[in-house]
Amino acid sequence: MAKNKESEQFTYSGEKARQGEIILRTRTRRIIFIAGLVGFIVLALAVRLAF
C-alpha cells in the first residue's frame, strides 16, 4: 500500500520552528555558564601548553 506523502507532512509556525536559545535568567545560571566558558578556555590552553 502506498502512503500519501501530503498527509504525513507537518506544518510548524515560525515561533515553533526557531532554534533553541540560552536562557540565563538568574544570576546563578549566568555564573555557571561563564565559569564553564572560562574553564573550557583554561583547559584548551593547558592542553596546548602540554603538547
Side-chain angles (χ1 to χ4, degrees):
M1 248 186 208
K3 292 184 179 180
N4 186 356
K5 293 265 185 192
E6 291 179 4
S7 65
E8 293 181 15
Q9 292 180 352
F10 295 100
T11 303
Y12 293 102
S13 68
E15 188 71 25
K16 288 184 179 180
R18 285 194 303 182
Q19 296 289 326
E21 60 186 70
I22 298 173
I23 300 174
L24 303 172
R25 292 183 180 164
T26 64
R27 184 174 187 199
T28 304
R29 289 183 184 184
R30 284 191 295 266
I31 290 171
I32 292 170
F33 179 75
I34 293 170
L37 290 178
V38 171
F40 180 75
I41 292 169
V42 169
L43 179 65
L45 289 172
V47 168
R48 184 175 173 113
L49 292 175
F51 293 108

